[in-house]
Amino acid sequence: MSTRIKMDQVEPNGYKAILGLEKFIESTTISRTHKDLIKIRASQINGCAFCIDMHTKEARKAGETEQRIYALNAWRDTPFFTEEERAVLALTEEVTLISNHVKDETYATAEKLLGETYLAQVIMAIITINAWNRIGITTMLVPAQY
């Protein structure tokens, strides 16, 4: 496998625009754990190998446990995630799989647990990683082997 095009080189202004979203997300009050869970879970759903590799490494470095990372795709069936994390993960799944729409119950639970501002930031984080996933998958970015 090889990368089709290098988006940052072929369309640097578009790439910088997406990078601007990423910089915004990094400036928000979203916890590191929530950011990591959003990035990993959306990337799992979308099947973006590059992003799964990158974000699981980042999560481990930030202190995330192997057990939670391995169980992330079955988070509903484990006791490993807090109520807030479950709300973030449910929202991540529904926004990522947007053709099924975001359920009123999912949205209301997230809003109640997270508050309006944090919820807005989480939604932006979910949208941003989905954009990155689409770039990674379309251009066939592959994780480095070591």
Side-chain angles (χ1 to χ4, degrees), residues 14-83:
Y15 189 85
K16 286 177 188 171
I18 301 290
L19 213 57
L21 283 172
E22 189 64 40
K23 287 179 182 177
F24 165 75
I25 298 309
E26 290 306 314
S27 76
T28 67
T29 61
I30 303 173
S31 73
R32 175 86 262 145
T33 298
H34 288 173
K35 288 176 191 172
D36 290 339
L37 293 175
I38 290 166
K39 289 176 180 183
I40 296 167
R41 187 65 192 120
S43 299
Q44 288 175 331
I45 292 166
N46 288 322
C48 184
F50 183 86
C51 290
I52 292 168
D53 183 67
M54 175 194 302
H55 299 304
T56 55
K57 287 175 182 173
E58 290 173 349
R60 281 186 196 101
K61 188 175 179 181
E64 188 56 80
T65 67
E66 297 289 318
Q67 184 179 42
R68 282 172 36 109
I69 291 172
Y70 297 150
L72 193 52
N73 65 341
W75 62 269
R76 285 181 179 84
D77 301 320
T78 72
F80 308 147
F81 300 94
T82 68
E83 191 175 18

